Amino acid sequence: MKRILDGWRAVACGAVMAVGLAGHAPAAVADTVTDLAGRKVDVPASVHRIILGEGRLIYALAPLEKQHLFDRIVGWQGEFRGADTQSYDQYVATFPQAAGVALIGKTTADTVSPERVLDLHPDLAILTVSGHGPGKASELVGQLESAHIPVIFVDFRADPVNDTIRSMQILGQVLHREQEATDYLAFYQSHLKRITDRVASVPESQRPKVFIEMLAAMRESCCHTAGKGNMGAFIAAAGGQNIAAPLLPGYIGDIDLEKVIASDPDIYIADGTKGPKASGPGVRMGAEVTPDVARASLLKVMERPGISSLHAVTDGHAHGIWHSFYDSPYNILAIEVMAKWFHPDLFTDIDPDATQKELYSRFLPVKQEGTFWIDARP
């Protein structure tokens, strides 16, 4: 009898050691999804501990998890609290446990520690195809997969108008929040269709030339901007001609101020995400920012040599917008706002303020009070 018991103990001990070496036992599979990186991933039947490769993925999880937003998040990268400090503070005020979520890295992929991630014993990691967090080729992905921890890639940055829809569908599946994802996408696509259906009838010659300066005045030289994707995709969807689209090989990059001046855009947009108490140049925009503070910062940005001489600026066709729309499923608000700026007569019945209120009241567990777009002239 003693030999039998000793044998059972040895088998049990070996099983525990095997799980410990692997880091994680394979979980029961509920479904298989194809993520934004084109990878087929088995979705666990139950998810309890989630790692976010970027903190700002919280924007995407909020409409799905709502009041349970931080119940399952055990680790995230720290760029959210630095890049959008005011929103982070508002989330912590509503969800105090957010302040205790473990940091797996600072603001870039090379600061993420695979050992730190594994120590948190996640059963799901959500990463982004493009951005500040670990990508497809990162060491972290290989280590997580070796430990039988599923890794899902989504994206809201490179091709946001298309990828927002697929990313929210994927998140709905892996988080088992399918109905919440369906509800949000019905809202998103209905508002998007109103814009794109009308814009389709606008001839190219009647579409204004637009220049968006991203993180305006925060770099030594002008001009950081979007090309064929990212904020440039919002411009195209709203019926504008992005002057940087033919000048950049990628979806984000820099162009010379001289090229901006030569293009003579009809509309100038500056984006930013600085808070009302932030120091240094840049557009104050987002949570906790008042319209007066936002407008004053925009006017200051527009005073710079070269920018101040643009006809879009002198003619009163200059605007400010929240930078973090560039990486958020709330980008429908940016598209609606731009459509109003570009074609005011075509979109007299579109009210971005009302759309924002509907988004917040129906889908978000945190009421984001602040200024997310502004006109240079009231």
Side-chain angles (χ1 to χ4, degrees):
M1 184 65 179
K2 181 177 182 298
R3 288 181 181 177
I4 295 174
L5 289 172
D6 288 344
W8 285 348
R9 290 190 187 102
V11 170
C13 182
V16 170
M17 287 179 65
V19 171
L21 289 171
H24 203 282
V29 174
D31 199 359
T32 299
V33 302
T34 301
D35 69 8
L36 257 290
R39 302 158 58 257
K40 290 190 179 300
V41 183
D42 291 335
V43 178
S46 182
V47 174
H48 301 287
R49 299 178 65 81
I50 301 170
I51 291 288
L52 301 182
E54 288 194 55
R56 282 176 291 179
L57 278 168
I58 207 70
Y59 301 145
L61 267 62
L64 307 179
E65 297 282 79
K66 296 189 171 70
Q67 286 74 23
H68 300 286
L69 183 56
F70 286 93
D71 289 1
R72 300 191 278 180
I73 299 171
V74 297
W76 57 1
Q77 188 172 254
E79 95 293 342
F80 177 39
R81 64 187 65 189
D84 189 7
T85 304
Q86 311 95 270
S87 290
Y88 172 79
D89 289 343
Q90 290 187 349
Y91 272 87
V92 170
T94 302
F95 298 98
Q97 64 267 44
V101 174
L103 293 180
I104 62 171
K106 297 179 181 177
T107 61
T108 56
D110 59 353
T111 65
V112 173
S113 166
E115 293 77 14
R116 177 62 172 142
V117 172
L118 291 171
D119 284 345
L120 294 169
H121 305 292
D123 46 30
L124 177 67
I126 304 173
L127 309 182
T128 56
V129 175
S130 58
H132 296 276
K136 293 181 289 184
S138 72
E139 177 188 0
L140 176 64
V141 174
Q143 292 198 18
L144 288 171
E145 290 178 336
S146 295
H148 305 293
I149 300 167
V151 179
I152 293 290
F153 280 94
V154 295
D155 205 65
F156 298 93
R157 186 182 274 105
D159 185 14
V161 177
N162 292 313
D163 288 348
T164 290
I165 296 169
R166 183 65 190 128
S167 292
M168 293 301 284
Q169 289 172 335
I170 291 169
L171 290 173
Q173 285 180 273
V174 301
L175 298 174
H176 305 296
R177 301 291 192 193
E178 290 89 346
Q179 187 57 56
E180 288 83 356
T182 297
D183 292 344
Y184 184 77
L185 287 175
F187 161 82
Y188 182 93
Q189 291 178 287
S190 65
H191 282 270
L192 179 62
K193 190 174 187 298
R194 283 198 305 176
I195 302 298
T196 55
D197 281 358
R198 295 185 203 179
V199 163
S201 65
V202 179
E204 195 73 13
S205 60
Q206 295 179 23
R207 301 188 180 203
K209 293 184 296 180
V210 181
F211 172 60
I212 183 165
E213 186 181 4
M214 300 174 69
L215 300 175
M218 291 177 60
R219 298 174 178 235
E220 289 187 10
S221 60
C222 187
C223 303
H224 187 57
T225 190
K228 292 184 174 67
N230 200 259
M231 287 277 201
F234 306 159
I235 293 171
Q241 299 181 64
N242 177 18
I243 67 166
L247 302 176
L248 289 177
Y251 62 88
I252 288 180
D254 299 313
I255 62 175
D256 295 333
L257 176 59
E258 291 74 16
K259 290 184 178 179
V260 176
I261 295 171
S263 296
D264 195 22
D266 302 301
I267 293 175
Y268 169 77
I269 303 172
D271 89 12
T273 187
K274 284 198 166 190
K277 299 178 182 178
S279 61
V283 177
R284 275 63 177 159
M285 191 68 63
E288 300 180 2
V289 178
T290 65
D292 288 344
V293 168
R295 181 172 289 112
S297 68
L298 172 61
L299 293 174
K300 191 70 176 175
V301 163
M302 290 160 46
E303 292 174 356
R304 292 172 297 148
I307 297 297
S308 62
S309 63
L310 295 175
H311 283 115
V313 170
T314 58
D315 292 347
H317 298 136
H319 314 275
I321 200 164
W322 187 47
H323 175 68
S324 288
F325 280 132
Y326 93 125
D327 190 23
S328 163
Y330 317 152
N331 58 49
I332 186 60
L333 300 176
I335 295 170
E336 281 200 354
V337 168
M338 289 183 185
K340 292 281 285 190
W341 290 339
F342 303 167
H343 304 284
D345 295 337
L346 186 62
F347 294 108
T348 55
D349 60 328
I350 300 296
D351 185 353
D353 291 317
T355 303
Q356 183 184 47
K357 289 178 182 177
E358 182 184 2
L359 192 158
Y360 287 2
S361 63
R362 288 184 58 193
F363 301 105
L364 299 190
V366 173
K367 186 178 181 181
Q368 291 247 263
E369 295 184 349
T371 303
F372 295 83
W373 54 83
I374 200 75
D375 300 324
R377 292 184 181 176

